[in-house]
Amino acid sequence: MSRSFNFNPGPSTLPLSALQIAQQELLDYRGTGMSILETSHRSKEFKTIHDDTKSLLRELLGIPEDYAILFLGGGASLQFAMIAMNFIPKKKSADYVVTGAWAKKALQEANIIAKGNVAASTESENFGRIPESSELNLDPQAAYLHLTSNNTIFGTQWHHFPKTGSTPLIADMSSDILSREINVADFDMIYAGAQKNLGPAGVTIIILKQNLADKANSDLPTMLSFKTHIEKDSLFNTPPVYAIYVTKLVLDWILQQGGVKAIEKQNNEKAELLYSCIDQSDGFYRGTASKDSRSKMNATFRLANEDMEKEFLAKALDHELKGLKGHRSVGGIRVSMYNAMPVQGIETLVNFMKTFQTNHQ
Ligand SMILES: *Cc1c(COP(=O)(O)O)cnc(C)c1O
C-alpha cells in the first residue's frame, strides 16, 4: 500500500487508523452480519454510534449541557440559509464579518432571506487579513454576528474572537473545528461541514445553544427548522449514517492523541515549520496572508511567477505531495494541514521546498 501526503482542502486527509477500522468493520459490523452502510438509522447499533459521537464531541470540545449537537445533511452551505431563516426575526437584520469567499456566501444567503449587514470586510485587501475587533461596526439590534473562524481559501484565521455582549455569536468553523482549544460558551452556535477537519463529506455538525434555538422563527418548512432537528435528535429523517460513523472514528483518534490540547500543540508545530520555511526563503516563497492573521490550517503562498508555480506543483507530485494547488481566486500554492496531516508530511514538504528553491537560484 502506498499513501500520499494529501494536502487537499476538503474532502481531505483522514487518520489512517480510522480508515483501517472502517475497513475492518465494513462488511460485518461487530458481529451483526451487515455493514453500517446497510444498517437502519433506528437500530441499536446506530443509536450507540450516534450517542458516542455526541459524547465524544462534548468531551473533546467541552460543550456545555445547554447546547444541542446536531448532525445534518446539506453541507455548511445549507447552514448559511438555515441560520438566516431561523434566527433573523421579521424586519430585522444580522451582522456579518466578510473575511473570505465562504463568509461572503453566508452573507449573500442572508440577503436572499432577510437582511445581512457587513460589520467589516477585508475584500478590498483580497481578504489577506482578519479585521481587528475595533474595526467591527456592530449593530446592537442585530439578530446575531456571523463570522468564519478560518478562511480556507485565503489562508487566514481568527486568533481572538470579538466580544459581542448580548448579541449571539455564530461561527462557521468548517475548516478549523477541533484544531485548537476554544471556549464553546463564547459562541451561541458553531457549525462545520465534516469534510475538512472532522470526517468524510455528507454530514454537518451543529452545536447550538438552547437559548438561541428557543428564539427561532417558527413558520419554516419542517426540514429547515432547527426546532425539528433538536426535538427529533437529528433523526427526523435519515441522517448521513456512514459519515457520522467515520466521524466517530476520527473523534476516537483525537482522544487517543491526547485530545484537542495535544492536537493543537502538533498543529502549532506544523504551522511553525512551514511558515519559518516561507519566512526564511528571502522572498522566494511569498505568504499571501498578513502574519498576524495567518491560518494554522491552510497556508497560502506564491512563487515568482505562474510557470514556476506550475513546476513546483508538478515536482511535488514526484514526492507524493498532492493537493497543493491554490484556489483559483488566490492562485499559487495552498497547504492544507488539518489535524490528520502528520508532522512528517510537513517535514517532507519543507525539505522539498528547500531543495526546489536551491535548484532555482
Ligand atoms: C468548505 C467550506 C464551506 C462549504 O462547505 P460545504 O459542506 O461544501 O457546503 C463553508 N465554510 C467554510 C469555512 C468552508 O471551508
Side-chain angles (χ1 to χ4, degrees), residues 250-266:
V250 174
L251 296 174
D252 282 334
W253 172 83
I254 295 179
L255 196 61
Q256 286 157 16
Q257 302 303 298
V260 176
K261 204 189 194 87
I263 288 281
E264 178 171 13
K265 193 162 163 271
Q266 190 177 305

Side-chain angles (χ1 to χ4, degrees), residues 9-10 74-80 101-103 105 148-153 172-176 191-196 201-204 298 334 338:
S77 299
L78 179 61
Q79 292 310 305
F80 299 162
W102 296 115
K105 283 192 175 148
T148 312
S149 59
N150 183 72
N151 297 284
T152 324
I153 294 175
D172 175 359
M173 293 197 185
S174 292
S175 50
D176 69 352
Y191 65 102
Q195 72 274 19
K196 272 70 184 238
V203 62
T204 305
N298 313 91
R334 167 170 51 175
Y338 301 121

Side-chain angles (χ1 to χ4, degrees), residues 94-115:
D95 283 346
Y96 282 75
V97 191
V98 184
T99 51
W102 296 115
K104 197 172 166 183
K105 283 192 175 148
L107 169 70
Q108 281 162 349
E109 289 300 295
N111 275 318
I112 292 171
I113 290 148
K115 186 166 164 24

Side-chain angles (χ1 to χ4, degrees), residues 6 28-29 34 41 48 77-79 89 102 113 132 137 153 165 184 191 200 209 239 241 247 302 307 323 330 336:
N6 173 1
D28 176 5
Y29 180 73
M34 60 182 81
H41 58 298
T48 305
S77 299
L78 179 61
Q79 292 310 305
W102 296 115
I113 290 148
E132 301 288 335
N137 184 7
I153 294 175
V184 173
Y191 65 102
K209 193 173 185 174
V241 170
T247 299
R302 309 283 325 235
D307 284 343
V330 184
S336 297

Side-chain angles (χ1 to χ4, degrees), residues 23 39 41 65 67 83 98 100 105 132 156 203 205 210 213-214 220 245 254-255 261-263 278 290 293 310 319 361:
Q23 182 186 41
T39 298
H41 58 298
E65 281 308 314
Y67 285 70
I83 289 165
V98 184
K105 283 192 175 148
E132 301 288 335
T156 64
V203 62
I205 281 75
Q210 195 59 50
D214 290 343
L220 295 173
Y245 160 72
I254 295 179
L255 196 61
K261 204 189 194 87
I263 288 281
I278 292 172
S290 50
S293 299
K310 267 194 198 132
H319 298 260
Q361 276 174 336

Side-chain angles (χ1 to χ4, degrees), residues 134-193:
S134 59
E135 292 173 69
L136 304 185
N137 184 7
L138 300 179
D139 171 5
Q141 302 297 315
Y144 54 80
L145 174 70
H146 179 280
L147 60 79
T148 312
S149 59
N150 183 72
N151 297 284
T152 324
I153 294 175
F154 294 90
T156 64
Q157 188 173 27
W158 288 79
H159 296 299
H160 311 281
F161 294 106
K163 298 265 176 287
T164 54
S166 57
T167 305
L169 180 59
I170 299 182
D172 175 359
M173 293 197 185
S174 292
S175 50
D176 69 352
I177 192 164
L178 285 154
S179 70
R180 55 175 169 175
E181 290 190 300
I182 52 158
N183 183 15
V184 173
D186 291 342
F187 301 86
D188 297 78
M189 175 173 168
I190 293 169
Y191 65 102

